[in-house]
Amino acid sequence: MITRFLRDERGATAIEYALIASLIGLVIITAVGAVGDSLTGIFDDAAAGLGG
């Protein structure tokens, strides 16, 4: 029974998938933040051009 428990890798696989998913999520959040900052600058420039 102990050897079967030590050979069981389902938990390790689930942890690996969770780490991969969290890294992908971190990359997506970083990319969306960068795009949002860029769009803010573009809209600020457009608003200044229309107002002035």
Side-chain angles (χ1 to χ4, degrees):
M1 184 163 117
I2 293 173
T3 57
R4 186 176 63 189
F5 175 74
L6 292 175
R7 280 190 258 154
D8 188 10
E9 295 184 2
R10 288 182 291 180
T13 303
I15 291 171
E16 290 170 357
Y17 283 133
L19 287 172
I20 291 170
S22 64
L23 288 174
I24 290 172
L26 184 63
V27 168
I28 290 171
I29 289 170
T30 303
V32 168
V35 169
D37 290 342
S38 177
L39 285 177
T40 299
I42 291 171
F43 282 119
D44 287 343
D45 291 343
L50 291 174

